[in-house]
Amino acid sequence: MPQRPTGELPVPGEDLVVKTSSIDLDAPLADSEFIVKNLELSIDPFLIACMKWTDFPWCYAINSVIAGYSAGVVVRSANEAFQVGDYVCGLGRFEEYSKHDGESAKKHALAVRNQPKATGLPLSNYVGALGLAGHTAYGGLIVGDIKPGQTIFVSGASGAVGQIASQVAKARGLKVVVTAGSEAKCEQLRAAGLDGVINYKTEDVNKRLGELCPEGLDAYFDNVGGQMLDIALVHLKPHSIAIECGMISDLNKEGSYSFKNLNLIIRKSIRLQGFVVNDYYDRELEFIDEVGKLMVEGRVRYTEDTRYGIEAMPQGLIDVLQGNFEGKVVIHINDE
């Protein structure tokens, strides 16, 4: 990243540049060092915040390599915790090969994730459904303290987080109503067995929520913010909760949506609760076990939009920010 984006979207070739360098894969390794061949890169909306916001916890330095959630395989190792052949997931650098030592492994939250060898699920799932996005969804459901029989509304339900939040809530016995922005995305969500699917580009969301949830909402899982949150406030019951996971509608824009219904937070004693996935790192293995089992059983379906080659990363991020995707965007950069 040679410079910070100044517009709504990063400019490929200016704000994001793909460069070629070399690594000697046969050079001797110092104690605790290991080399990962990166295979899958996760493209998530928070990457633009890392690029733009200097006060963001994971803000990138100028001229640094972009880092995000990734998965790879250890190809050489002088570290007992990371054996050759182990799958590794974490906040890795977006490059084809990465050399780490014990300290950088901690810094990048790298962890051995050999579950794909047992579950048969593709490794790419472990950077999405069973990675940072899915873990975020799982954490949001903990925040919401959801219970069987309740009604939850999930916006952005075709995205990486929304797919998991909506389907896990359904598997736990909730009535689940969702939004998506194309008929193809809506069809995928209907096929997942959700109770109501609204195309926010062609339907009146406020009207449809009233029709689908006449008794109101117990919880709103917010991936969008802005006008969608404003509408949800109308339908949330007294003493309900809005789980604030993301606000992509404002993330890449200058200025913010002007709310009309914020007073309902007071009038209906609605709780708005924000969170970040770090709040629930101690629940990661619990999350992987529960959601992984649901996926193996076919009770959670997960759609991926796979792009190929590290050169696809800049456009992949732009597409995520503009909603031009059909599932979780993953960049496949190497075969194992």
Side-chain angles (χ1 to χ4, degrees):
M1 186 188 78
Q3 62 185 30
R4 300 201 186 283
T6 56
E8 291 186 2
L9 299 168
V11 179
E14 297 180 16
D15 304 323
L16 286 171
V17 177
V18 180
K19 292 187 175 181
T20 300
S21 60
S22 61
I23 180 173
D24 186 351
L25 297 177
D26 298 316
L29 297 176
D31 185 51
S32 89
E33 287 186 334
F34 60 101
I35 296 175
V36 175
K37 182 180 184 180
N38 295 310
L39 306 177
E40 313 288 350
L41 308 180
S42 174
I43 306 301
D44 299 290
F46 81 88
L47 297 180
I48 191 65
C50 297
M51 297 179 71
K52 282 187 171 185
W53 301 345
T54 56
D55 59 347
F56 196 64
W58 304 299
C59 176
Y60 303 137
I62 298 297
N63 292 320
S64 65
V65 178
I66 295 294
Y69 211 76
S70 62
V73 61
V74 178
V75 293
R76 292 196 60 211
S77 181
N79 188 317
E80 291 184 356
F82 297 90
Q83 299 291 317
V84 171
D86 281 343
Y87 289 132
V88 175
C89 296
L91 292 169
R93 295 185 293 269
F94 282 7
E95 56 194 7
E96 292 183 319
Y97 288 87
S98 299
K99 180 187 281 189
H100 294 282
D101 57 23
E103 285 302 310
S104 70
K106 291 179 182 178
K107 178 181 177 182
H108 293 278
L110 298 183
V112 173
R113 290 288 177 260
N114 283 326
Q115 289 90 339
K117 298 176 182 180
T119 64
L121 295 171
L123 182 62
S124 58
N125 283 176
Y126 288 79
V127 299
L130 297 171
L132 190 67
H135 194 181
T136 300
Y138 195 83
L141 296 178
I142 295 172
V143 169
D145 190 26
I146 61 170
K147 295 178 174 61
Q150 291 183 329
T151 299
I152 188 170
F153 172 44
V154 182
S155 59
S158 65
V161 175
Q163 289 186 64
I164 296 301
S166 57
Q167 292 183 73
V168 171
K170 181 64 180 175
R172 291 182 180 177
L174 279 77
K175 177 179 178 179
V176 182
V177 175
V178 301
T179 61
S182 75
E183 194 53 35
K185 294 175 183 178
C186 288
E187 279 302 316
Q188 290 171 352
L189 294 166
R190 292 186 190 104
L194 303 179
D195 297 284
V197 180
I198 304 169
N199 186 332
Y200 71 86
K201 290 186 177 178
T202 61
E203 298 182 87
D204 184 327
V205 177
N206 185 44
K207 179 182 178 183
R208 291 290 289 134
L209 272 179
E211 293 170 349
L212 292 166
C213 308
E215 296 182 0
L217 305 171
D218 297 288
Y220 169 46
F221 196 111
D222 188 12
N223 291 303
V224 175
Q227 185 179 21
M228 198 69 73
L229 173 57
D230 217 16
I231 292 170
L233 290 173
V234 174
H235 297 274
L236 282 165
K237 298 176 182 178
H239 303 284
S240 58
I241 183 170
I243 305 160
E244 293 306 310
C245 177
M247 295 190 173
I248 195 170
S249 65
D250 287 335
L251 190 59
N252 59 328
K253 297 178 181 178
E254 299 298 327
S256 298
Y257 173 80
S258 180
F259 283 88
K260 301 173 180 63
N261 298 317
L262 280 181
N263 65 315
L264 294 176
I265 297 170
I266 301 169
R267 289 167 53 189
K268 295 199 286 186
S269 300
I270 296 170
R271 179 161 62 99
L272 266 69
Q273 179 65 58
F275 74 101
V276 292
V277 68
N278 306 44
D279 299 337
Y280 299 99
Y281 267 145
D282 62 333
R283 308 285 289 270
E284 184 175 18
L285 293 180
E286 169 194 323
F287 142 67
I288 291 174
D289 288 344
E290 179 180 343
V291 179
K293 182 180 179 182
L294 290 171
M295 293 182 71
V296 169
E297 293 173 349
R299 297 174 64 194
V300 167
R301 303 182 182 190
Y302 200 70
T303 303
E304 292 181 345
D305 184 335
T306 305
R307 318 289 175 90
Y308 294 90
I310 201 165
E311 297 81 6
M313 184 272 163
Q315 188 59 48
L317 177 56
I318 291 170
D319 287 345
V320 165
L321 295 173
Q322 293 186 318
N324 298 324
F325 56 85
E326 298 295 336
K328 172 76 183 83
V329 176
V330 175
I331 310 292
H332 178 80
I333 63 170
N334 274 315
D335 294 330
E336 189 174 344

